[in-house]
Short mmCIF file of all heavy atoms in Angstrom, two decimals:
data_model
loop_
_atom_site.label_atom_id
_atom_site.label_comp_id
_atom_site.label_asym_id
_atom_site.label_seq_id
_atom_site.Cartn_x
_atom_site.Cartn_y
_atom_site.Cartn_z
N THR A 234 19.45 49.59 31.98
CA THR A 234 19.48 49.88 30.54
C THR A 234 18.18 50.57 30.10
O THR A 234 18.20 51.41 29.21
CB THR A 234 19.68 48.59 29.72
OG1 THR A 234 18.77 47.63 30.21
CG2 THR A 234 21.07 48.09 29.83
N ASN A 235 17.06 50.23 30.73
CA ASN A 235 15.79 50.87 30.34
C ASN A 235 15.84 52.36 30.62
O ASN A 235 15.40 53.17 29.79
CB ASN A 235 14.63 50.25 31.12
CG ASN A 235 14.21 48.95 30.49
OD1 ASN A 235 14.56 48.69 29.35
ND2 ASN A 235 13.50 48.12 31.25
N GLU A 236 16.36 52.71 31.80
CA GLU A 236 16.46 54.13 32.14
C GLU A 236 17.39 54.84 31.17
O GLU A 236 17.11 55.94 30.71
CB GLU A 236 16.99 54.29 33.57
CG GLU A 236 15.90 54.10 34.61
CD GLU A 236 16.43 54.32 36.02
OE1 GLU A 236 17.47 55.00 36.19
OE2 GLU A 236 15.80 53.81 36.94
N LEU A 237 18.50 54.18 30.84
CA LEU A 237 19.48 54.78 29.93
C LEU A 237 18.85 55.00 28.55
O LEU A 237 18.98 56.07 27.95
CB LEU A 237 20.71 53.88 29.82
CG LEU A 237 21.84 54.39 28.95
CD1 LEU A 237 22.36 55.73 29.43
CD2 LEU A 237 22.99 53.38 28.89
N LEU A 238 18.12 54.00 28.10
CA LEU A 238 17.47 54.13 26.79
C LEU A 238 16.45 55.28 26.82
O LEU A 238 16.37 56.07 25.88
CB LEU A 238 16.76 52.81 26.45
CG LEU A 238 16.04 52.78 25.11
CD1 LEU A 238 17.02 52.90 23.96
CD2 LEU A 238 15.21 51.52 24.95
N GLY A 239 15.71 55.37 27.93
CA GLY A 239 14.72 56.44 28.08
C GLY A 239 15.38 57.80 27.96
O GLY A 239 14.92 58.69 27.25
N ILE A 240 16.51 57.97 28.62
CA ILE A 240 17.22 59.26 28.61
C ILE A 240 17.73 59.58 27.21
O ILE A 240 17.58 60.68 26.70
CB ILE A 240 18.35 59.25 29.65
CG1 ILE A 240 17.72 59.33 31.04
CG2 ILE A 240 19.30 60.41 29.44
CD1 ILE A 240 18.68 59.13 32.16
N ILE A 241 18.32 58.56 26.58
CA ILE A 241 18.87 58.80 25.23
C ILE A 241 17.73 59.21 24.29
O ILE A 241 17.84 60.18 23.55
CB ILE A 241 19.60 57.53 24.71
CG1 ILE A 241 20.85 57.29 25.53
CG2 ILE A 241 19.95 57.68 23.23
CD1 ILE A 241 21.60 56.01 25.20
N ASN A 242 16.62 58.48 24.37
CA ASN A 242 15.51 58.79 23.46
C ASN A 242 14.86 60.14 23.80
O ASN A 242 14.59 60.94 22.92
CB ASN A 242 14.46 57.68 23.51
CG ASN A 242 14.92 56.47 22.69
OD1 ASN A 242 15.85 56.58 21.89
ND2 ASN A 242 14.28 55.33 22.89
N ASP A 243 14.65 60.40 25.09
CA ASP A 243 13.96 61.63 25.47
C ASP A 243 14.80 62.87 25.18
O ASP A 243 14.28 63.89 24.76
CB ASP A 243 13.62 61.62 26.97
CG ASP A 243 12.58 60.55 27.27
OD1 ASP A 243 12.05 59.97 26.30
OD2 ASP A 243 12.33 60.28 28.47
N HIS A 244 16.10 62.80 25.45
CA HIS A 244 16.92 64.00 25.35
C HIS A 244 17.64 64.16 24.03
O HIS A 244 18.02 65.26 23.68
CB HIS A 244 17.95 64.03 26.49
CG HIS A 244 17.32 64.23 27.83
ND1 HIS A 244 16.71 63.22 28.52
CD2 HIS A 244 17.16 65.34 28.58
CE1 HIS A 244 16.23 63.67 29.64
NE2 HIS A 244 16.49 64.96 29.72
N LEU A 245 17.90 63.07 23.33
CA LEU A 245 18.78 63.19 22.17
C LEU A 245 18.10 62.90 20.84
O LEU A 245 18.57 63.37 19.80
CB LEU A 245 19.98 62.23 22.33
CG LEU A 245 20.79 62.40 23.61
CD1 LEU A 245 21.87 61.35 23.68
CD2 LEU A 245 21.42 63.79 23.64
N LYS A 246 17.04 62.12 20.88
CA LYS A 246 16.46 61.66 19.62
C LYS A 246 16.09 62.85 18.72
O LYS A 246 16.46 62.90 17.55
CB LYS A 246 15.24 60.80 19.91
CG LYS A 246 14.93 59.83 18.80
CD LYS A 246 13.92 58.80 19.25
CE LYS A 246 13.84 57.70 18.22
NZ LYS A 246 13.07 56.59 18.70
N ASN A 247 15.36 63.83 19.27
CA ASN A 247 14.91 64.96 18.46
C ASN A 247 16.07 65.84 18.05
O ASN A 247 16.15 66.29 16.92
CB ASN A 247 13.88 65.79 19.23
CG ASN A 247 12.56 65.05 19.27
OD1 ASN A 247 12.32 64.17 18.45
ND2 ASN A 247 11.72 65.38 20.24
N THR A 248 16.98 66.05 19.01
CA THR A 248 18.09 66.96 18.71
C THR A 248 19.00 66.39 17.65
O THR A 248 19.41 67.08 16.72
CB THR A 248 18.91 67.22 20.00
OG1 THR A 248 17.99 67.49 21.04
CG2 THR A 248 19.86 68.38 19.82
N ILE A 249 19.33 65.11 17.78
CA ILE A 249 20.30 64.52 16.85
C ILE A 249 19.59 63.96 15.61
O ILE A 249 20.16 63.94 14.53
CB ILE A 249 21.14 63.43 17.57
CG1 ILE A 249 21.92 64.08 18.72
CG2 ILE A 249 22.08 62.73 16.62
CD1 ILE A 249 22.70 63.13 19.57
N GLY A 250 18.37 63.52 15.81
CA GLY A 250 17.58 63.08 14.67
C GLY A 250 17.80 61.63 14.27
O GLY A 250 17.55 61.26 13.13
N PHE A 251 18.28 60.79 15.18
CA PHE A 251 18.47 59.38 14.82
C PHE A 251 17.14 58.62 14.95
O PHE A 251 16.21 59.08 15.60
CB PHE A 251 19.55 58.73 15.69
CG PHE A 251 19.27 58.79 17.17
CD1 PHE A 251 18.51 57.82 17.79
CD2 PHE A 251 19.78 59.83 17.95
CE1 PHE A 251 18.27 57.88 19.15
CE2 PHE A 251 19.54 59.89 19.30
CZ PHE A 251 18.77 58.91 19.92
N SER A 252 17.13 57.45 14.32
CA SER A 252 15.91 56.64 14.39
C SER A 252 15.92 55.75 15.63
O SER A 252 14.94 55.62 16.34
CB SER A 252 15.83 55.80 13.12
OG SER A 252 15.50 54.47 13.37
N HIS A 253 17.04 55.12 15.90
CA HIS A 253 17.17 54.29 17.10
C HIS A 253 18.65 54.14 17.44
O HIS A 253 19.51 54.47 16.62
CB HIS A 253 16.51 52.92 16.92
CG HIS A 253 17.13 52.10 15.84
ND1 HIS A 253 16.76 52.20 14.52
CD2 HIS A 253 18.12 51.18 15.88
CE1 HIS A 253 17.48 51.38 13.81
NE2 HIS A 253 18.32 50.74 14.60
N THR A 254 18.88 53.65 18.62
CA THR A 254 20.26 53.53 19.09
C THR A 254 20.54 52.10 19.53
O THR A 254 19.60 51.33 19.81
CB THR A 254 20.51 54.51 20.24
OG1 THR A 254 21.88 54.52 20.55
CG2 THR A 254 19.74 54.13 21.50
N LEU A 255 21.81 51.78 19.58
CA LEU A 255 22.23 50.44 20.01
C LEU A 255 23.57 50.59 20.72
O LEU A 255 24.44 51.32 20.24
CB LEU A 255 22.39 49.52 18.78
CG LEU A 255 23.19 48.23 18.93
CD1 LEU A 255 22.46 47.26 19.83
CD2 LEU A 255 23.39 47.58 17.57
N ILE A 256 23.70 49.92 21.86
CA ILE A 256 25.01 49.93 22.54
C ILE A 256 25.49 48.49 22.65
O ILE A 256 24.75 47.61 23.12
CB ILE A 256 24.92 50.58 23.94
CG1 ILE A 256 24.59 52.06 23.80
CG2 ILE A 256 26.22 50.40 24.72
CD1 ILE A 256 24.36 52.78 25.10
N GLY A 257 26.69 48.26 22.15
CA GLY A 257 27.28 46.93 22.28
C GLY A 257 28.48 47.01 23.20
O GLY A 257 29.21 48.00 23.16
N THR A 258 28.64 46.01 24.06
CA THR A 258 29.81 46.04 24.94
C THR A 258 30.72 44.86 24.64
O THR A 258 30.25 43.80 24.20
CB THR A 258 29.41 46.02 26.43
OG1 THR A 258 28.46 44.98 26.62
CG2 THR A 258 28.82 47.32 26.88
N VAL A 259 32.00 45.08 24.88
CA VAL A 259 33.00 44.07 24.54
C VAL A 259 32.91 42.92 25.55
O VAL A 259 32.81 43.15 26.76
CB VAL A 259 34.42 44.69 24.56
CG1 VAL A 259 35.49 43.65 24.27
CG2 VAL A 259 34.50 45.83 23.55
N ASN A 260 32.90 41.70 25.02
CA ASN A 260 32.81 40.53 25.90
C ASN A 260 34.16 40.24 26.55
O ASN A 260 35.18 40.84 26.20
CB ASN A 260 32.36 39.31 25.08
CG ASN A 260 30.95 39.50 24.57
OD1 ASN A 260 30.08 39.94 25.31
ND2 ASN A 260 30.74 39.20 23.31
N GLU A 261 34.12 39.27 27.50
CA GLU A 261 35.35 38.94 28.24
C GLU A 261 36.48 38.51 27.33
O GLU A 261 37.65 38.71 27.63
CB GLU A 261 35.06 37.82 29.24
CG GLU A 261 34.44 38.34 30.51
CD GLU A 261 34.02 37.24 31.45
OE1 GLU A 261 34.38 36.08 31.19
OE2 GLU A 261 33.32 37.54 32.42
N ASP A 262 36.14 37.92 26.16
CA ASP A 262 37.19 37.45 25.26
C ASP A 262 37.96 38.61 24.62
O ASP A 262 39.02 38.43 24.04
CB ASP A 262 36.59 36.55 24.17
CG ASP A 262 35.48 37.23 23.38
OD1 ASP A 262 35.38 38.47 23.44
OD2 ASP A 262 34.71 36.53 22.70
N GLY A 263 37.41 39.84 24.70
CA GLY A 263 38.09 41.01 24.13
C GLY A 263 38.00 41.06 22.62
O GLY A 263 38.52 41.99 22.00
N LEU A 264 37.37 40.07 22.02
CA LEU A 264 37.33 40.01 20.56
C LEU A 264 35.94 40.21 20.00
O LEU A 264 35.77 40.46 18.81
CB LEU A 264 37.84 38.62 20.09
CG LEU A 264 39.27 38.28 20.48
CD1 LEU A 264 39.58 36.84 20.19
CD2 LEU A 264 40.23 39.20 19.73
N THR A 265 34.95 40.08 20.84
CA THR A 265 33.57 40.17 20.36
C THR A 265 32.77 41.14 21.23
O THR A 265 33.18 41.49 22.34
CB THR A 265 32.87 38.80 20.42
OG1 THR A 265 32.91 38.34 21.77
CG2 THR A 265 33.52 37.79 19.51
N THR A 266 31.63 41.57 20.66
CA THR A 266 30.72 42.39 21.45
C THR A 266 29.35 41.72 21.45
O THR A 266 29.03 40.94 20.56
CB THR A 266 30.53 43.79 20.84
OG1 THR A 266 30.03 43.64 19.52
CG2 THR A 266 31.81 44.58 20.82
N SER A 267 28.58 42.04 22.47
CA SER A 267 27.20 41.59 22.54
C SER A 267 26.34 42.80 22.81
O SER A 267 26.81 43.79 23.38
CB SER A 267 27.01 40.59 23.69
OG SER A 267 27.75 39.44 23.42
N ALA A 268 25.07 42.71 22.40
CA ALA A 268 24.16 43.84 22.60
C ALA A 268 23.97 44.07 24.09
O ALA A 268 23.66 43.15 24.84
CB ALA A 268 22.83 43.55 21.94
N PHE A 269 24.20 45.30 24.51
CA PHE A 269 24.01 45.66 25.91
C PHE A 269 22.70 46.44 26.06
O PHE A 269 21.94 46.23 26.98
CB PHE A 269 25.20 46.52 26.37
CG PHE A 269 25.01 47.15 27.71
CD1 PHE A 269 25.11 46.40 28.87
CD2 PHE A 269 24.73 48.50 27.83
CE1 PHE A 269 24.94 46.99 30.11
CE2 PHE A 269 24.55 49.08 29.06
CZ PHE A 269 24.65 48.32 30.21
N LEU A 270 22.46 47.34 25.07
CA LEU A 270 21.22 48.12 25.10
C LEU A 270 20.62 48.10 23.70
O LEU A 270 21.28 48.41 22.72
CB LEU A 270 21.55 49.56 25.52
CG LEU A 270 20.39 50.55 25.60
CD1 LEU A 270 20.63 51.53 26.72
CD2 LEU A 270 20.19 51.29 24.30
N LEU A 271 19.37 47.65 23.66
CA LEU A 271 18.67 47.57 22.37
C LEU A 271 17.38 48.34 22.49
O LEU A 271 16.66 48.19 23.49
CB LEU A 271 18.31 46.11 22.09
CG LEU A 271 19.29 45.23 21.35
CD1 LEU A 271 18.80 43.81 21.40
CD2 LEU A 271 19.40 45.66 19.90
N ASP A 272 17.08 49.16 21.50
CA ASP A 272 15.80 49.87 21.52
C ASP A 272 14.73 48.91 21.01
O ASP A 272 14.81 48.44 19.86
CB ASP A 272 15.90 51.10 20.61
CG ASP A 272 14.69 52.00 20.76
OD1 ASP A 272 13.66 51.49 21.21
OD2 ASP A 272 14.79 53.19 20.44
N PRO A 273 13.74 48.60 21.83
CA PRO A 273 12.73 47.63 21.36
C PRO A 273 11.94 48.16 20.18
O PRO A 273 11.30 47.41 19.47
CB PRO A 273 11.84 47.41 22.59
CG PRO A 273 12.12 48.55 23.50
CD PRO A 273 13.48 49.07 23.20
N ASN A 274 11.98 49.48 19.98
CA ASN A 274 11.24 50.04 18.83
C ASN A 274 12.18 50.38 17.68
O ASN A 274 11.95 51.32 16.94
CB ASN A 274 10.50 51.30 19.26
CG ASN A 274 9.44 50.96 20.28
OD1 ASN A 274 8.72 49.98 20.10
ND2 ASN A 274 9.37 51.73 21.34
N SER A 275 13.22 49.62 17.53
CA SER A 275 14.18 49.93 16.47
C SER A 275 13.59 49.58 15.11
O SER A 275 12.66 48.77 15.01
CB SER A 275 15.46 49.14 16.69
OG SER A 275 15.17 47.77 16.56
N ALA A 276 14.16 50.19 14.09
CA ALA A 276 13.65 49.96 12.73
C ALA A 276 13.65 48.49 12.33
O ALA A 276 12.68 48.02 11.76
CB ALA A 276 14.48 50.80 11.76
N PRO A 277 14.72 47.71 12.67
CA PRO A 277 14.72 46.33 12.16
C PRO A 277 13.92 45.34 13.02
O PRO A 277 14.05 44.14 12.83
CB PRO A 277 16.20 45.95 12.18
CG PRO A 277 16.91 47.03 12.87
CD PRO A 277 15.95 48.03 13.35
N LYS A 278 13.10 45.84 13.96
CA LYS A 278 12.45 44.89 14.90
C LYS A 278 11.53 43.90 14.18
O LYS A 278 11.28 42.82 14.70
CB LYS A 278 11.70 45.64 15.99
CG LYS A 278 10.47 46.33 15.52
CD LYS A 278 9.69 46.91 16.64
CE LYS A 278 8.47 47.59 16.03
NZ LYS A 278 7.82 48.50 16.86
N ASN A 279 11.02 44.28 13.00
CA ASN A 279 10.15 43.35 12.28
C ASN A 279 10.89 42.51 11.25
O ASN A 279 10.29 41.74 10.52
CB ASN A 279 9.02 44.12 11.59
CG ASN A 279 8.11 44.77 12.62
OD1 ASN A 279 7.86 44.20 13.67
ND2 ASN A 279 7.66 45.98 12.33
N HIS A 280 12.19 42.73 11.20
CA HIS A 280 12.99 41.95 10.24
C HIS A 280 12.98 40.48 10.66
O HIS A 280 13.10 40.19 11.85
CB HIS A 280 14.42 42.50 10.22
CG HIS A 280 15.21 42.03 9.05
ND1 HIS A 280 15.69 40.74 8.94
CD2 HIS A 280 15.58 42.66 7.90
CE1 HIS A 280 16.34 40.62 7.81
NE2 HIS A 280 16.29 41.78 7.15
N PRO A 281 12.83 39.57 9.71
CA PRO A 281 12.74 38.14 10.11
C PRO A 281 13.96 37.63 10.85
O PRO A 281 13.87 36.66 11.60
CB PRO A 281 12.56 37.41 8.78
CG PRO A 281 12.81 38.41 7.71
CD PRO A 281 12.60 39.75 8.28
N MET A 282 15.11 38.30 10.67
CA MET A 282 16.31 37.79 11.33
C MET A 282 16.64 38.56 12.61
O MET A 282 17.70 38.38 13.19
CB MET A 282 17.50 37.87 10.37
CG MET A 282 17.25 36.99 9.18
SD MET A 282 18.69 36.49 8.33
CE MET A 282 19.78 35.86 9.51
N TYR A 283 15.70 39.39 13.02
CA TYR A 283 15.98 40.26 14.17
C TYR A 283 16.32 39.46 15.43
O TYR A 283 17.29 39.76 16.13
CB TYR A 283 14.77 41.17 14.42
CG TYR A 283 14.96 42.13 15.57
CD1 TYR A 283 15.93 43.13 15.51
CD2 TYR A 283 14.19 42.03 16.73
CE1 TYR A 283 16.11 44.01 16.56
CE2 TYR A 283 14.37 42.90 17.79
CZ TYR A 283 15.33 43.89 17.70
OH TYR A 283 15.52 44.75 18.74
N ALA A 284 15.50 38.41 15.69
CA ALA A 284 15.72 37.62 16.91
C ALA A 284 17.12 37.02 16.92
O ALA A 284 17.81 37.03 17.95
CB ALA A 284 14.67 36.53 17.02
N ASP A 285 17.56 36.52 15.77
CA ASP A 285 18.92 35.93 15.68
C ASP A 285 19.96 37.02 15.90
O ASP A 285 20.93 36.83 16.65
CB ASP A 285 19.15 35.31 14.30
CG ASP A 285 18.34 34.04 14.13
OD1 ASP A 285 17.86 33.53 15.15
OD2 ASP A 285 18.19 33.59 12.99
N ALA A 286 19.75 38.15 15.22
CA ALA A 286 20.76 39.22 15.26
C ALA A 286 20.98 39.74 16.67
O ALA A 286 22.08 40.14 17.04
CB ALA A 286 20.34 40.36 14.34
N LYS A 287 19.92 39.70 17.48
CA LYS A 287 20.02 40.22 18.87
C LYS A 287 21.02 39.43 19.69
O LYS A 287 21.69 39.96 20.57
CB LYS A 287 18.65 40.13 19.55
CG LYS A 287 17.76 41.30 19.23
CD LYS A 287 16.65 41.46 20.24
CE LYS A 287 15.83 40.21 20.46
NZ LYS A 287 14.68 40.42 21.33
N CYS A 288 21.06 38.12 19.46
CA CYS A 288 21.84 37.24 20.35
C CYS A 288 23.27 36.99 19.86
O CYS A 288 24.05 36.39 20.59
CB CYS A 288 21.15 35.90 20.51
SG CYS A 288 19.43 36.08 20.89
N VAL A 289 23.55 37.42 18.64
CA VAL A 289 24.87 37.09 18.07
C VAL A 289 25.97 37.82 18.83
O VAL A 289 25.78 38.94 19.31
CB VAL A 289 24.90 37.51 16.58
CG1 VAL A 289 26.30 37.37 15.99
CG2 VAL A 289 23.90 36.71 15.79
N ARG A 290 27.12 37.15 18.96
CA ARG A 290 28.34 37.82 19.44
C ARG A 290 29.05 38.31 18.19
O ARG A 290 29.43 37.50 17.35
CB ARG A 290 29.24 36.82 20.16
CG ARG A 290 28.78 36.50 21.56
CD ARG A 290 29.65 35.40 22.15
NE ARG A 290 29.47 35.39 23.59
CZ ARG A 290 30.45 35.46 24.45
NH1 ARG A 290 31.69 35.53 24.06
NH2 ARG A 290 30.20 35.45 25.76
N TYR A 291 29.20 39.62 18.06
CA TYR A 291 29.79 40.17 16.85
C TYR A 291 31.29 40.37 17.02
O TYR A 291 31.73 40.92 18.05
CB TYR A 291 29.14 41.52 16.51
CG TYR A 291 27.70 41.36 16.06
CD1 TYR A 291 26.65 41.60 16.94
CD2 TYR A 291 27.41 40.95 14.77
CE1 TYR A 291 25.34 41.43 16.55
CE2 TYR A 291 26.10 40.79 14.37
CZ TYR A 291 25.06 41.03 15.24
OH TYR A 291 23.78 40.86 14.85
N ALA A 292 32.03 39.94 16.00
CA ALA A 292 33.48 40.15 16.04
C ALA A 292 33.75 41.65 15.94
O ALA A 292 33.13 42.35 15.13
CB ALA A 292 34.13 39.42 14.88
N ILE A 293 34.64 42.15 16.76
CA ILE A 293 34.96 43.58 16.71
C ILE A 293 35.62 43.91 15.37
O ILE A 293 35.38 44.96 14.79
CB ILE A 293 35.89 43.95 17.89
CG1 ILE A 293 35.10 43.79 19.20
CG2 ILE A 293 36.40 45.38 17.76
CD1 ILE A 293 35.90 44.04 20.43
N ASN A 294 36.38 42.97 14.90
CA ASN A 294 37.11 43.20 13.65
C ASN A 294 36.18 43.00 12.45
O ASN A 294 36.39 42.12 11.63
CB ASN A 294 38.30 42.22 13.61
CG ASN A 294 39.34 42.69 12.65
OD1 ASN A 294 39.25 43.80 12.14
ND2 ASN A 294 40.30 41.84 12.39
N ASP A 295 35.13 43.83 12.36
CA ASP A 295 34.12 43.61 11.33
C ASP A 295 34.10 44.72 10.27
O ASP A 295 33.19 44.83 9.48
CB ASP A 295 32.73 43.49 11.98
CG ASP A 295 32.27 44.79 12.61
OD1 ASP A 295 33.09 45.71 12.77
OD2 ASP A 295 31.07 44.89 12.95
N GLY A 296 35.12 45.58 10.29
CA GLY A 296 35.16 46.65 9.30
C GLY A 296 34.36 47.87 9.73
O GLY A 296 34.33 48.87 9.03
N PHE A 297 33.71 47.80 10.85
CA PHE A 297 32.97 48.95 11.39
C PHE A 297 33.51 49.27 12.79
O PHE A 297 34.09 50.33 13.01
CB PHE A 297 31.46 48.65 11.45
CG PHE A 297 30.84 48.53 10.09
CD1 PHE A 297 30.85 47.34 9.39
CD2 PHE A 297 30.28 49.63 9.48
CE1 PHE A 297 30.29 47.23 8.14
CE2 PHE A 297 29.70 49.55 8.22
CZ PHE A 297 29.71 48.34 7.55
N MET A 298 33.31 48.31 13.69
CA MET A 298 33.72 48.57 15.08
C MET A 298 35.23 48.79 15.19
O MET A 298 35.68 49.63 15.95
CB MET A 298 33.25 47.43 15.99
CG MET A 298 31.75 47.44 16.21
SD MET A 298 31.21 46.26 17.44
CE MET A 298 31.03 44.78 16.51
N ASN A 299 36.01 48.02 14.42
CA ASN A 299 37.46 48.18 14.55
C ASN A 299 37.91 49.54 14.03
O ASN A 299 38.85 50.13 14.54
CB ASN A 299 38.21 47.03 13.86
CG ASN A 299 37.78 46.82 12.44
OD1 ASN A 299 36.64 47.09 12.09
ND2 ASN A 299 38.69 46.36 11.60
N ILE A 300 37.17 50.07 13.02
CA ILE A 300 37.53 51.41 12.52
C ILE A 300 37.22 52.43 13.60
O ILE A 300 38.03 53.30 13.93
CB ILE A 300 36.74 51.72 11.22
CG1 ILE A 300 37.28 50.83 10.10
CG2 ILE A 300 36.84 53.20 10.86
CD1 ILE A 300 36.48 50.89 8.81
#
Side-chain angles (χ1 to χ4, degrees):
T234 48
N235 280 343
E236 280 182 21
L237 182 59
L238 180 66
I240 287 172
I241 292 175
N242 282 345
D243 293 352
H244 292 79
L245 304 176
K246 205 167 191 170
N247 286 339
T248 314
I249 298 176
F251 58 86
S252 135
H253 62 274
T254 188
L255 163 68
I256 293 175
T258 49
V259 178
N260 295 315
E261 278 174 10
D262 56 17
L264 299 170
T265 58
T266 59
S267 295
F269 170 75
L270 179 146
L271 270 171
D272 189 338
N274 295 316
S275 65
K278 71 173 179 197
N279 294 323
H280 195 286
M282 297 202 50
Y283 181 65
D285 288 345
K287 276 200 307 186
C288 312
V289 172
R290 282 174 163 233
Y291 291 100
I293 293 176
N294 200 8
D295 67 347
F297 292 86
M298 288 188 274
N299 52 330
I300 290 172

